[in-house]
Amino acid sequence: MLHLQKLKTNNMKSKFFIAIAISSLMFVSCADDKKDDQKKPETDEVVTDDFKYQIDQFADLKILRYQIPSWNDLSLDEQKLVYYLTQAGLSGRDIMWAQNYRHNLTIREALENVYTTYDGDKESEDWKNFEVYLKRVWFSNGIHHHYSTAKLKPDFSADYLKNLLTATNTTLEGEAFDVIFNDKDSKKVNLSKDADIVLESAINFYGPDVTTADVENYYGAIEVDEEEPIEVGLNTKLVKENGQLVEKVYKSGGLYGAAIDKIVYWLEKAKGVAEDENQEKALGLLIEYYKTGSLDTWDDYAVAWVNSTEGDIDWINGFIEVYNDPKGYKGSYETIVEIKDFDMSKKMAVLSKEAQWFEDNSPLMPEHKKKEVKGVSYKTVIVAGEAGDASPSTPIGVNLPNNNWIRQKHGSKSVSLGNIIHSYASAGGSGRLQEFANDEEEIALEKKYGQLADKLHTALHEVVGHASGQINPGVGTPKETLKSYKSTIEEGRADLFGLYYLMDPKLQELGLVEDWEATGKAAYDGYIRNGLVTQLVRLELGDDVEESHMRNRQWVSAWAFEKGAPDGVIEKVTRDGKTYYDIKDYAKLREIFGMLLKETQRITSEGDYEAAMALVEDYGVKVDQALHKEVLDRNRKFKAAPYGGFVNPVIVPDMNEAGEITGFTIKQPETFEEQMLNYSKEYSFLTN
Ligand SMILES: [Zn+2]
């Protein structure tokens, strides 16, 4: 079970894609006030908590940045590998634009030319609306909304755009111009049950006259190996030529060949600095696949990639997710370049090694303790670059490959994208913390120790929390006994295991923290603040708490508040009509968490459905309506955009006189438009 402490992501099944990721993150972080949006001079990247995560907000979108904290732990060759892989990724950027809609690249080129050369009135509403429209197009890799897939509606007239085009000597005519304003191709992916979903989707995976029946007939007739089926149609466009259906293959010399040749060029360089033989083999097969378009080679590559697990660097590269295709055949181009999260890996390794100590010293009843406990493995990586379908809108975790027989026979790789998740969580800046924290001490602790506390809670929850405890002999699995309460009880149990040990000097003894008490306090403050107050911003007024993790954070917090009330462990403070919770006795709160951990384990071990129901329904579901309204009112000023996306750090090679790379400088883009224009300038391989 993969999830994040403060981000409240939900429903992560075997894969978690962009749509799921973003919807679950929708109301998590909030925007800086735009007035604070001052430009800073461009500097070499320093990883710091003062880092400015959010750099823009418009329409329903916010633009964030992320850091690469593992960068300096890499050797020069590893840095080169990362650089080459990100260059390969960006080289295919235009493929995603072309796949999304047939006029996207033409429209982008025209709009960018207007944007960079127009010297008329830039203070008018029309110009500002034009700018927002262009930014929205950049964000979506085309003219359809990245999430809803509906065509973006400009807030300026066709006449205004005509004037801009004339003033800048830009050509944009015919359907490519008209479609910006008319009702044609209104959905990128139209899954309406009354539609011919292929004919009526604007996505460019099929020729304009190809119907759903055509697709079904064509692919229905292709025979594949039953044991090891290839992903038919994954890397082609299906078109009609002289009444015949034919596939145009994405490959060198084929469709999108000009961009693919650049991808291959950079992959060759990457292969030259591969960390080991497995990586080299995988990269070699990926190159061969791009050259030939063979889906058998794609499968060979996926197997080699899954078996390449030893390196510090990893990547996702190819035509991968098929949800942009109404029929689910065609893969969208994407890349993600990943660096091992050395810090988190080290923490997890320490906890895993000590798993038995944690089990033995926990407050569980002796009969519920595991005699031999093994830490659960969990993997976070640091993203170094994204492109195509994964950028600017990104997943927060990936589980690949998609081909089922490979997953069954050879396994899969599942990672969560640590620095992306951290950026999402930090994007709200300090404003929201100021609003909901009770006092300056709480704010100071959160700023200094909050990030470490979150990381440790995640590690404890995943590595030792989920691993802990055993079911009594003869009792069924929690799924059978606790039924619909299984998830929230299990997540609460793992959370409590983590909470109990977050306030333990053992963490300092193991070298995981420098000040166990301060880190523990920050962790407890954050948990209670979220569980009783801030997570309510994700709910509509009047709604119950439904999602398992949100439920468990509420029942853990509310139960602890009630049990501690006689001793004043957590004080409810009302000031200027605002509600705060102030922890008065951290040691006592730890005891209470321990009691609830013991009880939650008992419920699990004995399969006590009635007790699970009582705990969840009494503490985890209902919301105090007055408090909820107050929290929503207080949160309103943060103007959170529902969707977030990222610009990438820019990895710039330092060269010596012989033209050899001697190192790299990492720069952060100042603005969204700067990066988008740069990308169009450097990586436009499919336009003229
Ligand atoms: Zn969990």
Side-chain angles (χ1 to χ4, degrees):
M1 187 79 49
L2 187 58
H3 83 97
L4 309 146
Q5 296 310 321
K6 277 211 169 164
L7 283 177
K8 300 152 263 185
T9 56
N10 56 22
N11 286 334
M12 292 195 181
K13 305 220 166 70
S14 59
K15 297 179 197 125
F16 34 123
F17 298 141
I18 296 163
I20 295 167
I22 295 305
S23 67
S24 61
L25 285 161
M26 267 177 67
F27 303 103
V28 174
S29 49
C30 43
D32 284 323
D33 196 305
K34 266 210 152 178
K35 275 171 279 181
D36 299 331
D37 209 286
Q38 290 164 346
K39 289 195 171 185
K40 276 191 238 162
E42 197 168 82
T43 50
D44 289 359
E45 181 166 41
V46 180
V47 177
T48 155
D49 276 340
D50 295 330
F51 183 71
K52 190 174 167 195
Y53 291 95
Q54 180 164 333
I55 55 167
D56 205 351
Q57 173 156 318
F58 47 88
D60 54 355
L61 305 170
K62 60 187 168 215
I63 305 296
L64 312 179
R65 308 194 292 191
Y66 62 91
Q67 299 169 290
I68 314 178
S70 292
W71 184 258
N72 291 328
D73 299 324
L74 300 179
S75 69
L76 181 59
D77 267 359
E78 287 176 321
Q79 292 180 344
K80 283 183 187 173
L81 179 57
V82 170
Y83 172 69
Y84 297 145
L85 288 168
T86 54
Q87 291 299 309
L90 288 166
S91 297
R93 174 181 182 246
D94 279 4
I95 297 175
M96 184 74 251
W97 285 74
Q99 286 182 316
N100 271 337
Y101 183 53
R102 64 190 180 281
H103 293 306
N104 273 342
L105 287 170
T106 309
I107 292 170
R108 187 187 79 196
E109 218 182 357
L111 298 185
E112 286 177 350
N113 193 52
V114 168
Y115 188 70
T116 51
T117 62
Y118 183 65
D119 59 4
D121 180 6
K122 294 191 179 176
E123 296 303 316
S124 71
E125 278 305 297
D126 273 339
W127 177 261
K128 283 174 187 157
N129 290 336
F130 170 78
E131 189 174 27
V132 166
Y133 179 74
L134 175 55
K135 285 186 185 179
R136 297 182 77 189
V137 171
W138 276 328
F139 189 94
S140 294
N141 295 311
I143 64 168
H144 297 87
H145 193 275
H146 75 287
Y147 186 71
S148 77
T149 89
K151 199 165 66 178
L152 301 167
K153 287 194 175 26
D155 288 323
F156 51 85
S157 66
D159 281 343
Y160 179 70
L161 181 56
K162 265 185 197 140
N163 291 341
L164 292 178
L165 293 168
T166 309
T168 55
N169 262 325
T170 310
T171 311
L172 182 64
E173 301 168 320
E175 194 179 56
F177 177 89
D178 296 338
V179 77
I180 296 174
F181 302 96
N182 66 20
D183 290 332
K184 199 166 185 273
D185 295 329
S186 61
K187 281 281 252 182
K188 185 171 84 177
V189 186
N190 186 345
L191 294 174
S192 156
K193 67 178 187 342
D194 302 321
D196 181 314
I197 57 175
V198 171
L199 202 57
E200 295 176 50
S201 291
I203 190 87
N204 193 26
F205 290 142
Y206 302 98
D209 47 357
V210 174
T211 65
T212 304
D214 287 335
V215 175
E216 285 168 358
N217 292 336
Y218 186 87
Y219 288 114
I222 291 178
E223 282 184 28
V224 292
D225 183 334
E226 270 178 35
E227 293 288 305
E228 301 181 352
I230 55 167
E231 295 170 89
V232 284
L234 185 71
N235 62 339
T236 64
K237 179 177 177 180
L238 185 66
V239 299
K240 258 184 204 165
E241 278 180 359
N242 307 319
Q244 293 290 312
L245 288 166
V246 288
E247 285 190 295
K248 302 281 182 188
V249 181
Y250 312 153
K251 61 170 187 170
S252 280
L255 189 56
Y256 310 140
I260 289 171
D261 286 344
K262 294 285 179 183
I263 298 172
V264 167
Y265 169 84
W266 289 109
L267 289 178
E268 294 278 10
K269 286 189 169 283
K271 185 168 161 261
V273 289
E275 292 178 87
D276 55 41
E277 274 179 22
N278 285 336
Q279 271 190 358
E280 196 182 339
K281 184 180 169 199
L283 286 166
L285 285 164
L286 183 58
I287 291 164
E288 193 190 326
Y289 161 66
Y290 276 125
K291 285 182 173 171
T292 62
S294 159
L295 288 171
D296 288 310
T297 308
W298 171 245
D299 279 357
D300 292 342
Y301 158 70
V303 171
W305 176 78
V306 144
N307 287 319
S308 168
T309 53
E310 296 298 310
D312 291 336
I313 314 297
D314 207 348
W315 66 85
I316 287 155
N317 182 309
F319 306 103
I320 303 193
E321 305 299 355
V322 295
Y323 57 82
N324 277 321
D325 176 1
K327 291 301 290 177
Y329 289 105
K330 311 294 178 191
S332 296
Y333 174 81
E334 77 165 300
T335 68
I336 301 175
V337 182
E338 306 160 356
I339 302 171
K340 185 174 174 182
D341 186 339
F342 299 102
D343 177 52
M344 195 62 162
S345 304
K346 213 158 68 193
K347 288 186 168 59
M348 305 249 193
V350 169
L351 292 178
S352 201
K353 198 164 152 257
E354 298 287 333
Q356 195 67 50
W357 184 92
F358 285 102
E359 185 75 356
D360 294 345
N361 289 278
S362 72
L364 304 190
M365 294 178 206
E367 65 268 34
H368 297 155
K369 289 181 185 176
K370 262 194 192 133
K371 305 292 164 279
E372 274 179 56
V373 68
K374 278 205 172 62
V376 172
S377 83
Y378 172 86
K379 204 172 172 206
T380 55
V381 295
I382 299 298
V383 170
E386 299 180 313
D389 200 22
S391 181
S393 176
T394 170
I396 55 168
V398 193
N399 185 333
L400 289 172
N402 280 335
N403 200 337
N404 243 333
W405 76 262
I406 299 177
R407 297 174 70 84
Q408 277 162 15
K409 275 195 186 165
H410 301 275
S412 60
K413 290 190 201 170
S414 176
V415 295
S416 73
L417 310 181
N419 54 340
I420 295 289
I421 291 161
H422 176 68
S423 278
Y424 268 121
S426 309
S430 53
R432 200 152 167 237
L433 178 63
Q434 294 277 356
E435 175 61 47
F436 291 106
N438 179 55
D439 53 30
E440 288 304 320
E441 189 200 356
E442 187 176 335
I443 293 166
L445 280 171
E446 170 64 27
K447 282 187 172 172
K448 191 161 181 199
Y449 299 103
Q451 193 182 336
L452 176 61
D454 275 358
K455 261 192 158 185
L456 274 176
H457 196 188
T458 302
L460 284 161
H461 172 117
E462 301 290 348
V463 179
V464 286
H466 279 310
S468 163
Q470 65 182 9
I471 310 280
N472 288 358
V475 173
T477 64
K479 197 176 161 196
E480 292 158 351
T481 58
L482 305 180
K483 303 188 172 78
S484 65
Y485 299 110
K486 177 230 158 201
S487 290
T488 192
I489 291 291
E490 173 60 15
E491 291 311 317
R493 198 182 62 82
D495 260 9
L496 284 160
F497 201 91
L499 286 167
Y500 182 75
Y501 282 114
L502 275 163
M503 191 59 85
D504 194 314
K506 179 78 177 177
L507 296 186
Q508 196 162 333
E509 205 180 289
L510 292 171
L512 294 167
V513 296
E514 277 169 22
D515 183 340
W516 65 270
E517 209 170 358
T519 315
K521 281 182 175 180
Y524 282 19
D525 287 345
Y527 197 90
I528 294 295
R529 194 168 62 238
N530 181 48
L532 294 180
V533 182
T534 50
Q535 74 168 357
L536 294 176
V537 306
R538 300 177 67 211
L539 290 181
E540 305 272 353
L541 197 60
D543 286 356
D544 287 342
V545 183
E546 301 277 359
E547 196 274 320
S548 299
H549 297 90
M550 282 184 73
R551 279 188 168 185
N552 92 244
R553 286 168 196 136
Q554 180 169 306
W555 62 252
V556 167
S557 304
W559 193 91
F561 174 69
E562 188 184 288
K563 292 298 163 214
D567 299 323
V569 175
I570 304 172
E571 190 186 339
K572 185 175 179 177
V573 180
T574 310
R575 208 168 44 236
D576 304 329
K578 295 178 175 182
T579 307
Y580 306 89
Y581 288 90
D582 190 20
I583 300 172
K584 294 289 187 194
D585 188 339
Y586 290 92
K588 196 80 213 267
L589 181 54
R590 184 187 186 209
E591 276 176 39
I592 292 170
F593 284 146
M595 280 160 56
L596 187 54
L597 170 60
K598 184 173 159 191
E599 169 63 6
T600 310
Q601 183 60 55
R602 185 198 64 75
I603 289 171
T604 306
S605 295
E606 297 178 4
D608 188 343
Y609 177 80
E610 295 298 320
M613 180 166 70
L615 187 56
V616 177
E617 296 293 341
D618 290 352
Y619 297 93
V621 176
K622 294 293 170 200
V623 181
D624 175 336
Q625 295 300 300
L627 176 65
H628 193 185
K629 186 176 178 308
E630 174 205 316
V631 168
L632 292 178
D633 286 344
R634 287 162 72 185
N635 192 56
R636 205 152 285 139
K637 62 174 169 282
F638 298 112
K639 287 186 284 182
Y643 305 102
F646 289 83
V647 286
N648 292 299
V650 184
I651 306 171
V652 185
D654 306 323
M655 306 271 203
N656 65 14
E657 283 174 7
E660 296 154 344
I661 295 175
T662 55
F664 291 89
T665 307
I666 298 199
K667 296 184 173 179
Q668 287 288 346
E670 291 297 312
T671 64
F672 182 49
E673 51 272 29
E674 164 202 317
Q675 177 147 84
M676 292 300 104
L677 289 169
N678 247 330
Y679 281 174
S680 294
K681 193 167 140 232
E682 302 292 331
Y683 307 101
S684 282
F685 301 124
L686 299 181
T687 57
N688 302 315

